[in-house]
Amino acid sequence: MSDDVPLRRAAPQGFLPIHTNAFDRVFVSVVCFVAIHLFWMRFLEQDISLYVATVLSVILGAIIIARG
Amino acid sequence: MKRDRKGLSLLFWLFSSLITLFPIYWMFVVSAKSRVELFGAPTFLIKSFFSENYWATLTNTSFQGYMFNSIVIATSNALLVTTLSLFATYALSRYKLSGKENIFFWTITNRMAPPAAFLLPLFLLYTQVFVVGDWKMFDTRIGLILLYCVFNLPFAIWTMRGVVDAIPQELDEAAFVDGASTWQVILHVILPLARPGLAVTGILTWVFAWNEYLFAATLTSVHARTITTGLAEFVTVTGTNWGQMAATAMLTLIPAIIFLSLVQKHIVAGLTFGAVKG
Amino acid sequence: MSGLKRMLLGAAVAGLLVGAGPARADFWSDAAKGLEGTTIHGVSESTPPSNYVKDVLAPAFTKATGIKVEFEATSWDQMYDKAIKDMEANTGIYDFVYIEQDIVYSYLSRDFLVDITKSLAEKPNLKAPDFDPAMFTTFVNYFKGDKGDIFGVPMEAFIKVYLYRKDLFEDPAAKEAFKAKYGYDLAVAKTHQQYKDIADFFTAWGKEKGIELWGSTVQAHTGHPASWYEFFESIAPTFGVYNWGIDASKNYAATVEHGGSMNSPESKKALEYWLSLLPDAPPESTASTWDEVAATFAAGRTAQGLVYGENAAWIATNDTKSKVVGKVGVALPPLEPGVLEAAESGKGYIGYYDGGAFGIPHSSKNKDAALLFLEYIAQPSVQADWAVAGSRITHQATYDDPKVVAQDAKTDGYYTLMKNDGRLFAGAPPYPFHAQVREATAPFFYQAITGELSASDALDQMAAAAEKELTKLGYRK
Amino acid sequence: MRPQSVGWLFMAPTLVILFVFGVLPFVYVLVISFFDWNSFAADPTMRFSGVQNYRDLVFDTGYLMSLWNTLKFGVFAVASEIVLGYFLAQLFMRNFPLKSFFRTIHTLPLMIAPVAVGATWRLMTVPGLGPIPYYLDKWFGYDYLISRYAGQAFFTTVVMDVWHWTPLVTLTLLAALSSMPKEPFEQAQIDGANKLQTFWYVTLPLLKPAILAAVFIRLMDAMRTVDEVWMLTGGGPAAATRYVGLYIWRVVFPKTDYGYGSAMSLITLYLTIVMCWLLYAGLVARRDLRKPE
């Protein structure tokens, strides 16, 4: 049983609505990364460069991985 | 009262069988018609049996080969997949593997890919990477058997997981206490109890492998062609040979029904299962 | 393949082996020295001509040379896909591939194919004494490169002709009623207006008599490229719109604005005319590809129609497949004024000349053996039986063979028509971006058939889409 | 007593096969999706084009429409299959004469290859010649023309899918039902629960894994349907049944637009994964994951 513990965060809950482990959070941030880029290309890229989206989603990803 | 319900249920089953069978019956009607009869007002009854459609397929040696390939590929794949999925779900159920939920979910995603774009890399793998001397994985049965695992394993693991999880751990714990090895536990405790689930998984994986078209069409050429790709041979610029196609499809039903009846009785075996547990 | 046909084919093999005689057998076994036991591998669509090669010519070739032939006959889409993948990836699975006339420019543009003329010049020991490219029909021109070298050996060729029901056209009652209604004699249509009148007339005739009869076939599948082809290959040229309305000399323009003619007034008129035939067509027309059109006509459900010539023979002669045996007339398609003159002077064409050839991919590892095989199937002596089995003619010697002459009489002179007027027909335009433009424009075309778009709007959007695709592909600068 | 390594050993063959035949092609497709590559373009070589394929894709109304249609198709088909399949599975749990005979009949549609299913349904529905449109017209005067009317074509593909795949759901649920413990039902009976309550509080929770498995499998298969619809309508009329699998197929095969097709495949895969993950996290994992270890 102890094998499993390090993967679960010591703090029982992050801000995500479900209990997550590291894999889940990486997954969620990748999903967000792709989604942000797709929406950005569709609606915002005419005005704002796509790199902004990249920076934003990396920051968001970092937050999710750290605190999700 | 009771008799009435029996009659009613029989009526229901007859009716629903009629609906289920109609398209198959129509396939049969088409298979019994010559080409010119098809292009006219449809009739439900068969006036004459145009047996040439069947003979043409039965006497065609390449179709005999396709049928043989299909049987070998589907059966080997079903055996391989059910075995591997039993192992995998046993591991997922009984061992504390780190991140096993994620692994489980990842295995499932392998079934989700739309096949078209993945054919190119697979073609390259089969013709240029998996090559030993003169031997290529392209156009071999083993190539298809392994490839079909990609969409069958996720399915099998998902179905089997519920089954294996539902088998009480106390049973194998007890066996371990009696000194059984892991193999023996799987063979003598898990396997008998998982039989209905395994049977269903076996049937369905067999069916998926038997019916697969796109991969088989792209990754085989002459030697490992399956019967479904053979069906597409009837669609040509000079005319779809509907009659012979339907006849061939009817013929492919025969091995399928044999396989089904061999395996299906194991599903019923599960009916007594609740008692074992209780 | 039917048992009867199988027997006939068997007889043909036997005849061929005896007829082709010992004199030639010498060449084949000499040329194949050192190649015995190799296996060549080919892919083709499973059409009657291909199946004839697979079942008759390939075994005969093996007998003559000791070279084994593995022949994969598959569906149209698969054939393309696998041949292209093989040649693109340079894997060398196939030693000969089927090249449809419309894809040959794509292959040539990528230099996928072996130059047959050059190879034979380099290896004179492989050159069969009776192999002469000049003896092929003009169809072989489609498989020639810039310098006139051939890259494929033609194995099937057809023209899309106007088939009509002789029995109906000659029916006195119908003739009288037609004259009373339209003021001129019922006869094979020369113009689109006549064609439309006849279509209207027979549709009404069928309704009145309560029989399953309509005025015209229309190859108008709403989800299959067949409908797109019928319009651009068979209808638009008869209105004077050639090469899909794309002008290569004007930077591949498609829109009228840039100098193309895909949405020109003639093109719009052509599409409106074609769509106006739909109410005169049997209900299955919007689900019809080339195949169902032939079957519809063979079932006697229409009075006239444009049908691919490869079907002409079985429609006219095979009574297990056709209800109109002996009642089929063959003619040139109806035209707008001036189009025939343009075609005769070589400036245009009046319909589609379709077919294919076998070529050798550069990736092949058994080029010599494949070359021999292609020469083998190009022998004059095998052509006649093959022509009868597959109603295809690619070789000039074939027309005069008694078997073909007999078949010609039964098909109301289809082969004669092909021989005399074949030059008025043309294959697909020499564009390497064939399927790409078709796929880009077809969705709008389907919408025109279902009525979501008007003919004019559909063609405008198609022309724009074609230009966009060509720009993306880098042809249009 | 049960070291992790043994567990990994049992997982190993599965993981190796999925890696070689699943992940390697995936990586290839991922790389290709950032390239502009068409065998028959003026420049047939592969050229790096960054995210251009993805940029084209989010503006490609044809693709977005086909995604939307696929989703509708999936939801309608899968919902009907689950309801029908559950109903039939429950009925098969009872005893009645000729049971195994009827069960075999109700499994038959599964045994037919999608290519042949599509062909059969096409022949049944081809306007003017198929029995369905012919008799609908003759008896009821109803104009059933799936090659003309988008709604009818969509509906027909759904019915065909339901006909073909309901047996899969029935079988899966039947297996689950037959391996269900009897205890909770007896308990419910003792507690005086009525049929609906028993269904809601006992059957459904116990069946949940099996139902979910069926839903997921069917949903992902519906998202990548190609053969059946290709044979039935060819994606027509116009784009009404041009589901995403078919759409990608047309881009990759006839158009040989490998880069764009790869990008399209990946986005479709992405959407399917996200959709399934949301369902999975929301319905299955939620409770399990919150459970203290």
Side-chain angles (χ1 to χ4, degrees):
Chain A
M1 260 180 215
S2 57
D3 297 340
D4 220 9
V5 171
L7 279 165
R8 310 260 168 197
R9 276 175 55 81
Q13 289 290 310
F15 62 82
L16 290 175
I18 55 163
H19 194 118
T20 54
N21 63 19
F23 287 124
D24 292 329
R25 288 193 294 277
V26 171
F27 175 76
V28 171
S29 39
V30 170
V31 166
C32 292
F33 182 90
V34 175
I36 288 172
H37 279 81
L38 289 178
F39 277 100
W40 201 279
M41 280 191 276
R42 179 89 161 105
F43 298 111
L44 293 172
E45 208 192 347
Q46 288 87 340
D47 306 319
I48 313 167
S49 159
L50 194 63
Y51 291 108
V52 181
T54 314
V55 173
L56 279 181
S57 37
V58 167
I59 295 172
L60 181 71
I63 295 174
I64 291 175
I65 292 173
R67 310 215 156 168
Chain B
M1 174 79 188
K2 201 138 199 206
R3 181 158 300 181
D4 269 4
R5 283 189 70 176
K6 239 181 195 161
L8 212 66
S9 102
L10 198 69
L11 210 69
F12 167 83
W13 286 115
L14 282 176
F15 180 70
S16 73
S17 300
L18 214 66
I19 295 175
T20 313
L21 283 181
F22 182 72
I24 300 174
Y25 174 71
W26 193 252
M27 200 160 91
F28 176 68
V29 169
V30 171
S31 77
K33 281 185 177 182
S34 69
R35 186 171 167 147
V36 66
E37 285 173 297
L38 271 181
F39 279 75
T43 45
F44 289 118
L45 294 174
I46 303 165
K47 275 178 243 137
S48 61
F49 189 77
F50 191 71
S51 58
E52 200 181 282
N53 286 331
Y54 283 88
W55 286 120
T57 298
L58 283 173
T59 53
N60 186 328
T61 44
S62 29
F63 274 93
Q64 293 161 5
Y66 298 168
M67 190 71 109
F68 177 74
N69 286 335
S70 271
I71 292 174
V72 170
I73 290 169
T75 312
S76 324
N77 180 259
L79 283 174
L80 183 68
V81 165
T82 41
T83 316
L84 290 187
S85 69
L86 185 68
F87 289 162
T89 46
Y90 180 75
L92 284 174
S93 166
R94 301 298 200 256
Y95 292 87
K96 292 235 168 284
L97 306 178
S98 33
K100 69 183 180 188
E101 284 306 319
N102 305 89
I103 291 170
F104 173 63
F105 190 74
W106 169 74
T107 57
I108 309 299
T109 60
N110 279 291
R111 198 188 171 87
M112 300 178 189
F118 287 79
L119 283 169
L120 183 64
L122 284 168
F123 182 83
L124 293 176
L125 272 182
Y126 274 47
T127 52
Q128 301 190 330
V129 181
F130 298 142
V131 178
V132 184
D134 272 349
W135 185 87
K136 290 190 187 84
M137 205 175 242
F138 179 81
D139 201 18
T140 57
R141 289 186 207 114
I142 185 75
L144 285 187
I145 293 170
L146 289 175
L147 181 63
Y148 287 173
C149 290
V150 174
F151 58 83
N152 268 341
L153 264 177
F155 166 77
I157 289 178
W158 197 310
T159 348
M160 287 306 297
R161 188 160 193 213
V163 175
V164 175
D165 273 348
I167 297 169
Q169 279 212 33
E170 299 85 58
L171 289 182
D172 34 324
E173 295 299 344
F176 277 123
V177 171
D178 291 346
S181 71
T182 313
W183 279 113
Q184 285 169 323
V185 169
I186 292 184
L187 220 62
H188 299 297
V189 180
I190 305 290
L191 190 65
L193 293 180
R195 243 166 70 192
L198 273 177
V200 170
T201 313
I203 291 178
L204 294 175
T205 47
W206 192 87
V207 161
F208 287 129
W210 179 255
N211 289 342
E212 204 285 325
Y213 171 72
L214 267 184
F215 289 130
T218 307
L219 298 177
T220 67
S221 172
V222 175
H223 303 292
R225 261 183 120 65
T226 60
I227 195 77
T228 27
T229 56
L231 287 176
E233 277 181 26
F234 297 118
V235 187
T236 73
V237 174
T238 39
T240 304
N241 195 340
W242 297 114
Q244 205 187 328
M245 186 179 188
T248 311
M250 289 302 292
L251 291 173
T252 62
L253 266 179
I254 297 169
I257 291 172
I258 294 173
F259 181 81
L260 183 68
S261 54
L262 283 179
V263 179
Q264 213 180 31
K265 63 170 190 278
H266 294 286
I267 303 175
V268 198
L271 282 171
T272 52
F273 183 46
V276 178
K277 264 185 165 179
Chain C
M1 191 172 300
S2 72
L4 185 69
K5 219 171 177 184
R6 182 170 284 276
M7 261 168 59
L8 284 175
L9 291 183
V13 187
L16 196 132
L17 291 175
V18 176
R24 267 192 214 96
D26 282 334
F27 163 75
W28 295 114
S29 55
D30 289 351
K33 210 149 257 156
L35 294 170
E36 298 95 341
T38 41
T39 304
I40 55 172
H41 203 111
V43 63
S44 178
E45 199 197 351
S46 59
T47 57
S50 289
N51 286 336
Y52 185 82
V53 175
K54 183 183 175 187
D55 297 331
V56 179
L57 295 180
F61 174 70
T62 306
K63 208 156 202 177
T65 59
I67 298 169
K68 284 196 210 82
V69 182
E70 275 182 348
F71 198 100
E72 176 185 344
T74 182
S75 69
W76 190 57
D77 306 292
Q78 282 301 327
M79 173 193 80
Y80 272 143
D81 173 46
K82 294 171 79 172
I84 291 173
K85 276 200 174 86
D86 181 42
M87 295 188 287
E88 170 78 65
N90 205 23
T91 39
I93 297 168
Y94 297 118
D95 301 307
F96 62 95
V97 293
Y98 178 87
I99 322 161
E100 180 135 359
Q101 184 274 326
D102 50 22
I103 202 81
V104 65
Y105 305 105
S106 305
Y107 290 179
L108 289 179
S109 77
R110 290 297 313 279
D111 194 24
F112 277 162
L113 300 170
V114 168
D115 183 336
I116 293 173
T117 312
K118 203 171 133 209
S119 306
L120 286 178
E122 281 165 10
K123 292 176 186 157
N125 62 317
L126 291 177
K127 166 101 175 51
D130 59 358
F131 181 77
D132 179 9
M135 282 300 289
F136 290 118
T137 57
T138 53
F139 187 64
V140 75
N141 293 336
Y142 292 114
F143 301 96
K144 285 182 178 165
D146 303 332
K147 284 179 241 142
D149 288 3
I150 62 166
F151 288 80
V153 171
M155 53 81 68
E156 56 182 9
F158 325 98
I159 50 178
K160 192 164 183 183
V161 285
Y162 170 21
L163 292 189
Y164 61 96
R165 286 278 299 282
K166 270 183 168 171
D167 57 328
L168 292 173
F169 275 59
E170 283 159 12
D171 180 21
K175 273 178 142 171
E176 198 179 313
F178 187 87
K179 175 113 192 198
K181 200 165 170 189
Y182 295 97
Y184 61 96
D185 286 321
L186 172 60
V188 176
K190 295 268 180 226
T191 67
H192 292 113
Q193 187 54 47
Q194 289 168 0
Y195 188 90
K196 172 77 180 139
D197 286 346
I198 297 169
D200 286 345
F201 173 75
F202 278 111
T203 308
W205 177 269
K207 218 172 243 163
E208 203 179 291
K209 297 242 148 87
I211 48 174
E212 302 252 308
L213 179 72
W214 285 265
S216 172
T217 60
V218 181
Q219 182 178 305
H221 197 295
T222 47
H224 188 282
S227 51
W228 191 95
Y229 282 122
E230 168 140 309
F231 178 71
F232 280 108
E233 288 171 343
S234 307
I235 304 293
T238 63
F239 281 82
V241 178
Y242 309 117
N243 298 333
W244 312 343
I246 296 174
D247 194 335
S249 66
K250 290 180 185 150
N251 192 15
Y252 292 104
T255 57
V256 172
E257 193 192 346
H258 295 132
S261 56
M262 195 183 269
N263 58 345
S264 67
E266 293 81 32
S267 178
K268 288 176 178 174
K269 197 176 155 204
L271 185 54
E272 271 156 22
Y273 158 76
W274 186 66
L275 292 174
S276 79
L277 291 176
L278 275 177
D280 290 328
E284 69 267 26
S285 296
T286 45
S288 286
T289 67
W290 24 66
D291 153 33
E292 287 83 8
V293 161
T296 298
F297 189 86
R301 290 166 68 83
T302 59
Q304 52 177 0
L306 294 177
V307 179
Y308 283 88
E310 62 229 69
N311 301 298
W314 68 258
I315 292 176
T317 57
N318 186 338
D319 59 5
T320 63
K321 287 176 170 181
S322 166
K323 283 182 190 157
V324 293
V325 173
K327 300 173 186 166
V328 182
V330 180
L332 295 179
L335 305 167
E336 283 297 281
V339 172
L340 188 63
E341 291 74 19
E344 275 172 342
S345 65
K347 284 187 197 122
Y349 53 93
I350 62 168
Y352 188 42
Y353 206 141
D354 179 30
F358 281 137
I360 305 169
H362 271 308
S363 51
S364 161
K365 297 190 174 74
N366 301 304
K367 293 196 184 75
D368 291 353
L371 212 51
L372 277 178
F373 182 64
L374 294 197
E375 289 182 85
Y376 190 86
I377 63 168
Q379 293 177 91
S381 57
V382 304
Q383 301 294 328
D385 288 312
W386 193 5
V388 172
S391 68
R392 40 66 71 193
I393 284 186
T394 58
H395 201 278
Q396 291 189 1
T398 324
Y399 287 118
D400 302 324
D401 190 281
K403 288 175 206 157
V404 176
V405 172
Q407 185 86 336
D408 186 46
K410 283 190 220 155
T411 53
D412 194 48
Y414 168 70
Y415 294 108
T416 313
L417 186 89
M418 199 167 156
K419 185 179 182 185
N420 297 336
D421 296 321
R423 69 201 163 82
L424 299 177
F425 292 76
Y431 300 148
F433 43 75
H434 185 96
Q436 286 70 24
V437 167
R438 184 193 77 211
E439 288 298 318
T441 54
F444 305 107
F445 188 73
Y446 300 146
Q447 285 183 312
I449 303 173
T450 58
E452 285 165 62
L453 285 177
S454 71
S456 165
D457 290 349
L459 285 167
D460 287 343
Q461 296 192 25
M462 284 163 71
E467 285 189 353
K468 196 176 154 215
E469 181 68 24
L470 288 171
T471 311
K472 190 187 169 197
L473 290 170
Y475 290 101
R476 189 176 153 76
K477 300 288 182 313
Chain D
M1 193 162 95
R2 290 188 177 191
Q4 266 212 43
S5 55
V6 177
W8 284 115
L9 214 62
F10 278 122
M11 283 301 286
T14 301
L15 297 180
V16 168
I17 288 180
L18 289 182
F19 180 81
V20 172
F21 296 96
V23 176
L24 288 185
F26 171 81
V27 172
Y28 184 88
V29 171
L30 182 68
V31 172
I32 293 291
S33 76
F34 292 103
F35 282 81
D36 194 3
W37 182 24
N38 188 326
S39 285
F40 299 115
D43 175 7
T45 53
M46 279 169 72
R47 276 159 300 138
F48 184 74
S49 67
V51 291
Q52 189 55 40
N53 285 324
Y54 294 92
R55 198 172 282 140
D56 289 346
L57 191 135
V58 291
F59 289 103
D60 185 343
T61 39
Y63 172 70
L64 297 175
M65 271 314 285
S66 89
L67 264 182
W68 172 239
N69 282 335
T70 314
L71 197 69
K72 275 198 300 187
F73 168 74
V75 169
F76 277 111
V78 174
S80 327
E81 281 156 24
I82 297 292
V83 173
L84 260 176
Y86 174 76
F87 181 64
L88 286 173
Q90 271 296 358
L91 288 177
F92 276 125
M93 290 301 288
R94 301 184 184 173
N95 276 319
F96 54 88
L98 295 176
K99 183 163 127 174
S100 61
F101 173 71
F102 283 123
R103 200 176 46 217
T104 308
I105 284 182
H106 282 79
T107 320
L108 278 183
L110 263 188
M111 301 291 159
I112 304 171
V115 177
V117 169
T120 310
W121 279 74
R122 184 196 153 98
L123 287 169
M124 286 197 319
T125 55
V126 60
L129 301 169
I132 297 176
Y134 187 85
Y135 287 101
L136 278 178
D137 183 37
K138 201 169 169 187
W139 292 340
F140 309 103
Y142 182 75
D143 201 12
Y144 179 76
L145 259 177
I146 66 160
S147 56
R148 254 336 229 296
Y149 305 128
Q152 290 180 351
F154 175 79
F155 179 73
T156 310
T157 55
V158 171
V159 173
M160 175 175 74
D161 199 74
V162 170
W163 175 79
H164 193 189
W165 294 113
T166 301
L168 182 145
V169 180
T170 314
L171 274 186
T172 322
L173 295 189
L174 190 61
L177 280 174
S178 37
S179 52
M180 224 182 248
K182 287 200 175 112
E183 265 177 342
F185 291 93
E186 288 160 4
Q187 189 58 42
Q189 219 159 22
I190 294 167
D191 294 348
N194 65 24
K195 267 195 175 159
L196 199 70
Q197 285 167 327
T198 317
F199 171 73
W200 193 254
Y201 293 106
V202 184
T203 321
L204 209 56
L206 281 171
L207 262 190
K208 204 166 120 184
I211 293 182
L212 279 171
V215 168
F216 280 112
I217 294 295
R218 279 308 305 135
L219 203 59
M220 41 181 116
D221 282 4
M223 290 293 286
R224 38 175 229 149
T225 306
V226 180
D227 324 358
E228 287 162 283
V229 179
W230 171 62
M231 281 305 290
L232 179 67
T233 62
T241 58
R242 188 175 264 223
Y243 300 133
V244 76
L246 209 61
Y247 195 93
I248 295 172
W249 186 81
R250 295 226 72 98
V251 169
V252 180
F253 286 116
K255 256 180 127 175
T256 57
D257 201 344
Y258 304 123
Y260 191 46
S262 299
M264 222 176 238
S265 281
L266 287 181
I267 291 305
T268 311
L269 178 62
Y270 166 82
L271 291 173
T272 319
I273 291 179
V274 170
M275 193 169 76
C276 287
W277 187 80
L278 285 176
L279 273 174
Y280 180 73
L283 294 170
V284 196
R286 192 167 182 159
R287 214 172 36 168
D288 303 345
L289 286 180
R290 276 182 187 280
K291 243 191 274 173
E293 286 297 311

